[in-house]
Amino acid sequence: MTSPLRNPVDARVVIIGAGVVGCSLADELTARGWRRVTVLDQGPLPAPGGSTSHAPGLVFQTSPSKTMTEFAAYTVRKFGSLDVDGLPCFDPVGGLEVATTEARWADLHRKAGFAASWGVRGELLDPRQCKKLWPLLDEGKVLGGFHTPDDGLARAVPACRAQMARAERHGARFLGRHTVTGIEREAGRVTGVVTDRGVFPADHVVCAAGFWGPVIGALAGVDVPLLPLAHQYATTAPLPELAGLDDPYRTATGAAPAAGRPILRFQDRDLYFREHFDATGGRLGIGSYAHRPLPVDPFTVPAFDDAPVMPSSLPFTPEDFAPSWRDSVGLLPALGASRVADGFNGVFSFTPDGMPLLGEAPALRGFWLAEAVWVTHSAGVAKAVAEWLTDGRPTLDVHACDLTRFEDAQRSPAYVAERGAQSFVEVYDVIHPLQPAERPRPLRTSPFYPRQQELGAYFLEAGGWERPHWYEANAPLAEGLHLPERDAWSARHWSPIAAAEAAATRERVALYDMTPLRRLEVTGPGALDFLQRMTTNQLAKKPGAVTYTLLLDEAGGIRSDLTVARLAPDHFQVGANSRADLDWLHRHAPADVHVRDVTAGTCCIGVWGPLARDLVQPLTRDDFSHGAFGYFKARRTHLGHVPVTALRVSYVGELGWELYTTADLGLRLWDTLWEAGREHGAIAAGRSAFNSLRLEKGYRAWGHDMTTEHHPYEAGLAFAVRPEKGDFVGRSALTGLSEGTAARRLACLTLDDPASVVLGHEPVLVDGSPAGYVTSAAYGYTLGRCIAYAWLPAAVAVPGTAVHLAYFGAKLAATVAREPLFDPKMTRLRR
């Protein structure tokens, strides 16, 4: 968060890009009282030639991401309230996604669950009902469909016009034909925007330049990790089958809207269809993601006056579209008598993970990104960025869109190009929540990676890290286990070996690679006061203490959870979650405090299980007994030849330590522990077992179970908040709040049928209606049933309450349980 200006309402804001995002943002800012807003674009207004100028305008709200769904829902509401020249800026024609394969039909059931979780109206239809909505369909090829009646078509350029007019009435100005040539900076802060027609002083600059984002970023010295790609769009000749169709949105002037039937998505062939009506009749527009990725260098895109049509519209490549035309005719046989009358390859933006880039650049204060945003999410993103600028925080959780989320290793041009192209390929793919990227791998590995390979680790990837989820070497331990049979979806990226590894952890001892967890070093004379001010728990403890605490924003929302070890009076080791935590602490640190990310140069092994002390004690001369080295304590010691920092903490609910050393000594640490563990039956265990064990113990995972949308009392984390210690960020916002006043709660559920398994994001039904949604879920091998954590109304989040979870169309009975489910008296951790 940037330090607020003395009179924030007088802040000078320059928005670069007058597409749908820039226009929406100007409208949102001026609606909040900010008047000194200037929007610049190199092209003529209101259609300056970027992606907005050619966008087909599809708005499908439902996404696996709650945030993206809410962005789209706001876009629907806002554009639905706008009109230009008597024409609406949004046509609520609805959406229809059809399945022609069993895998897609199952996925549409999953998507219906997302819709129910996030509050989007939707209904699964049989082939006959699909045919009724779309008469051109070959009913025999369709297994079913998912209909969302509130989705529709955004008319992007009119929406820009409407918002421009409103923002101008509130004091904003929009200037076309202004090419940005430089960004002025002073003392690490933006001060102005240089154009070919003058300099515009600025306190904040927002880059909403679309696929030109990397060009503007380069002028500011800010990396913008997005890849422009061309996407094919074709329109047919007039179709007799569309002639005479009733058009419910025809206006009194006789003008016709964009369409009448629902937008049709044929994702099994990476296609979508929408209607166009003009004086010649009805045509179909066909968009395809089925072709090869067509990357575009944003630094070589011609200016508006030099482009044959517009900068974002490239010549159509019929050879790329030919397979898609055949697939289109297969689904819609009437097209067999038609042809492609026109087409173009439209340019728009993709990031390595397919999500937007939002927020203030860490290296240049006052320089913001609102990039890689499609029309679908444009107004919602603009609202979030406007809140961020004016209030210091968005009301929605945007951590998955935060521009700081990518690691340095994920920001190389080669990585952005490879993963950006893959994001294009996967737009309509059925993606499993655990599915890792295929390339480039391996990218980041812990020092233990060679040993993990020898043990047959099954690696998944997150943050560029290779993370073992189980080890094939432990397969013999899984023989004879009686586990419920899994369906094909929940069996992906899973193995019964995980159950054996969980059992070994509970019964003996296991080694877990915890290296990917972020480690920060906070030092300096003011380190304690700084961390006290930034976090919720009491950190004024003697060196050797470890404390679980929270980072809050000013509104009391949970930005992150931390484990803070005080290693010396002015030296703290902080276990954090993301680069955003590092950025947040950097932004607030005073001159006498140094915050440094030490993750890459260090590594960590979690040694957990009832025999953990038996394994570790012989390796050190220090006393590791409970009396000498208690729970939530830290010390520096040696294990064999290896200097380590040992923290007695455990996220699996068992006795043990996190053992840290430098990366160069990591392999020696692993080998030392492995050799010492032989006589105790020690194994290596993976993230699959870890996740099961942590849910049995009720440990929350930030970003999944709680975010900035939740306060600590709702999330069951009151124990980590100590208002009596003095002021800290977010303290005043918690005044009057308690677990008793919380209107919603993060509740623990257990599935009634031991054979039932869910994975997360499923809607929770109470009396047949959606009342909440699942955050994290895993099978609890110790308990013999699946565990799910879910956000529910407080009146429902009462132990013993019966609920149902919707899973691929089935309703699975579950019960709210008292937590923690395992070892509620903490006896296993404190022995």
Side-chain angles (χ1 to χ4, degrees), residues 766-799:
V766 177
D767 296 329
S769 299
Y773 60 91
V774 173
T775 57
S776 297
Y779 199 84
Y781 300 111
T782 313
L783 304 173
R785 65 186 63 246
C786 189
I787 304 163
Y789 272 77
W791 282 101
L792 293 173
V796 176
V798 177

Side-chain angles (χ1 to χ4, degrees), residues 5 8 21 47 118 245 255 282 317 361 372 416 481 492 606 622 641 819:
L5 300 168
V21 178
W118 314 143
L245 289 177
T317 49
V416 172
L481 291 179
R492 280 194 207 177
D622 291 319
H641 298 90
E819 58 171 332

Side-chain angles (χ1 to χ4, degrees), residues 504-804:
T505 307
R506 291 275 186 246
E507 297 165 6
R508 299 189 305 279
V509 61
L511 309 185
Y512 288 83
D513 182 1
M514 306 304 291
T515 301
L517 299 184
R518 186 170 303 278
R519 290 171 292 287
L520 309 179
E521 182 182 76
V522 181
T523 58
L528 175 60
D529 290 342
F530 168 61
L531 289 173
Q532 283 281 75
R533 187 173 71 255
M534 296 305 298
T535 71
T536 60
N537 213 335
Q538 177 59 263
L539 302 182
K541 302 173 183 177
K542 294 180 180 179
V546 180
T547 306
Y548 176 82
T549 188
L550 305 173
L551 286 179
L552 304 183
D553 60 25
E554 295 288 356
I558 304 172
R559 285 189 56 94
S560 189
D561 61 345
L562 310 176
T563 302
V564 179
R566 192 175 192 186
L567 303 181
D570 297 335
H571 185 182
F572 294 82
Q573 178 175 301
V574 177
N577 285 296
S578 70
R579 284 176 59 94
D581 297 343
L582 176 65
D583 181 52
W584 180 255
L585 294 176
H586 269 156
R587 288 173 184 267
H588 290 83
D592 63 347
V593 174
H594 305 285
V595 182
R596 186 166 70 101
D597 190 333
V598 298
T599 309
T602 57
C603 59
C604 178
I605 299 176
V607 181
W608 291 313
L611 301 183
R613 184 175 289 116
D614 300 76
L615 189 160
V616 173
Q617 182 63 80
L619 299 174
T620 179
R621 295 180 180 181
D622 291 319
D623 187 354
F624 269 53
S625 68
H626 180 65
F629 195 162
Y631 187 53
F632 264 72
K633 298 296 181 182
R635 69 168 47 165
R636 287 168 166 157
T637 186
H638 285 80
L639 296 182
H641 298 90
V642 182
V644 301
T645 299
L647 273 57
R648 190 170 166 197
V649 295
S650 169
Y651 288 94
V652 299
E654 295 292 341
L655 169 68
W657 290 265
E658 288 181 355
L659 303 172
Y660 298 88
T661 192
T662 52
D664 60 321
L665 291 168
L667 200 57
R668 184 60 179 262
L669 176 61
W670 178 282
D671 290 344
T672 298
L673 294 169
W674 188 258
E675 183 61 31
R678 288 181 183 275
E679 64 178 289
H680 304 294
I683 66 162
R687 296 291 300 183
S688 187
F690 177 90
N691 198 44
S692 170
L693 297 169
R694 71 102 177 163
L695 284 177
E696 289 182 341
K697 193 60 184 168
Y699 293 139
R700 278 77 167 129
W702 183 85
H704 297 278
D705 301 317
M706 71 278 193
T707 69
T708 53
E709 295 182 16
H710 313 104
H711 65 67
Y713 303 114
E714 297 173 314
L717 297 174
F719 69 89
V721 180
R722 294 288 184 268
E724 67 277 5
K725 77 169 185 174
D727 194 28
F728 55 81
V729 175
R731 181 177 182 268
S732 60
L734 300 182
T735 302
L737 300 179
S738 67
E739 291 181 319
T741 64
R744 59 181 176 178
R745 299 291 300 274
L746 183 64
C748 176
L749 312 177
T750 56
L751 275 72
D752 294 355
D753 183 351
S756 296
V757 176
V758 298
L759 299 181
H761 290 181
E762 294 83 7
V764 181
L765 310 178
V766 177
D767 296 329
S769 299
Y773 60 91
V774 173
T775 57
S776 297
Y779 199 84
Y781 300 111
T782 313
L783 304 173
R785 65 186 63 246
C786 189
I787 304 163
Y789 272 77
W791 282 101
L792 293 173
V796 176
V798 177
T801 302
V803 299
H804 286 85

Side-chain angles (χ1 to χ4, degrees), residues 296-621:
V296 175
D297 182 352
F299 291 88
T300 62
V301 174
F304 186 92
D305 292 329
D306 298 328
V309 180
M310 66 176 79
S312 62
S313 180
L314 303 182
F316 192 60
T317 49
E319 65 278 8
D320 288 314
F321 194 74
S324 292
W325 178 255
R326 290 193 294 270
D327 289 333
S328 299
V329 173
L331 183 70
L332 308 172
L335 294 182
S338 188
R339 61 182 174 83
V340 173
D342 195 12
F344 66 96
N345 291 355
V347 184
F348 61 141
S349 305
F350 286 81
T351 59
D353 60 3
M355 298 289 280
L357 296 169
L358 309 180
E360 187 181 23
L364 183 59
R365 298 298 182 242
F367 186 83
W368 296 73
L369 296 186
E371 286 290 346
V373 182
W374 297 1
V375 172
T376 303
H377 310 105
S378 56
V381 163
K383 175 176 180 285
V385 174
E387 291 172 337
W388 216 336
L389 279 160
T390 59
D391 301 331
R393 68 184 293 271
T395 52
L396 285 180
D397 163 48
V398 296
H399 82 273
C401 307
D402 194 309
L403 61 90
T404 64
R405 69 188 182 274
F406 294 118
E407 304 291 336
D408 289 341
Q410 298 174 298
R411 303 180 78 95
S412 70
Y415 185 94
V416 172
E418 191 164 7
R419 291 293 287 267
Q422 190 62 27
S423 292
F424 176 91
V425 170
E426 293 177 349
V427 163
Y428 281 168
D429 285 1
V430 177
I431 304 294
H432 192 276
L434 293 177
Q435 182 173 322
E438 296 179 3
R439 300 182 309 273
R441 291 180 63 192
L443 184 62
R444 307 176 78 190
T445 60
S446 80
F448 323 130
Y449 185 67
R451 299 294 183 262
Q452 294 165 343
Q453 288 181 302
E454 292 168 5
L455 293 170
Y458 182 87
F459 292 101
L460 299 181
E461 181 261 359
W465 287 103
E466 295 296 320
R467 307 181 76 165
H469 274 242
W470 67 83
Y471 294 86
E472 287 298 328
N474 296 325
L477 301 178
E479 295 176 3
L481 291 179
H482 298 289
L483 298 172
E485 185 175 347
R486 292 200 172 205
D487 64 274
W489 186 253
S490 63
R492 280 194 207 177
H493 306 297
W494 173 84
S495 169
I497 295 172
E501 293 176 359
T505 307
R506 291 275 186 246
E507 297 165 6
R508 299 189 305 279
V509 61
L511 309 185
Y512 288 83
D513 182 1
M514 306 304 291
T515 301
L517 299 184
R518 186 170 303 278
R519 290 171 292 287
L520 309 179
E521 182 182 76
V522 181
T523 58
L528 175 60
D529 290 342
F530 168 61
L531 289 173
Q532 283 281 75
R533 187 173 71 255
M534 296 305 298
T535 71
T536 60
N537 213 335
Q538 177 59 263
L539 302 182
K541 302 173 183 177
K542 294 180 180 179
V546 180
T547 306
Y548 176 82
T549 188
L550 305 173
L551 286 179
L552 304 183
D553 60 25
E554 295 288 356
I558 304 172
R559 285 189 56 94
S560 189
D561 61 345
L562 310 176
T563 302
V564 179
R566 192 175 192 186
L567 303 181
D570 297 335
H571 185 182
F572 294 82
Q573 178 175 301
V574 177
N577 285 296
S578 70
R579 284 176 59 94
D581 297 343
L582 176 65
D583 181 52
W584 180 255
L585 294 176
H586 269 156
R587 288 173 184 267
H588 290 83
D592 63 347
V593 174
H594 305 285
V595 182
R596 186 166 70 101
D597 190 333
V598 298
T599 309
T602 57
C603 59
C604 178
I605 299 176
V607 181
W608 291 313
L611 301 183
R613 184 175 289 116
D614 300 76
L615 189 160
V616 173
Q617 182 63 80
L619 299 174
T620 179
R621 295 180 180 181

Side-chain angles (χ1 to χ4, degrees), residues 54-56 58 134 230-239 242 264 270-276 282-289 291 313-326 328 332 335 338-346:
H54 65 67
L58 281 67
W134 252 87
H231 161 58
Q232 291 202 301
Y233 191 78
T235 51
T236 69
L239 293 171
L242 298 183
L264 178 65
D270 297 309
L271 292 167
Y272 63 82
F273 307 87
R274 55 152 295 183
E275 294 175 343
H276 292 274
R283 306 166 183 261
L284 280 188
I286 306 172
S288 172
Y289 295 98
H291 56 84
S313 180
L314 303 182
F316 192 60
T317 49
E319 65 278 8
D320 288 314
F321 194 74
S324 292
W325 178 255
R326 290 193 294 270
S328 299
L332 308 172
L335 294 182
S338 188
R339 61 182 174 83
V340 173
D342 195 12
F344 66 96
N345 291 355

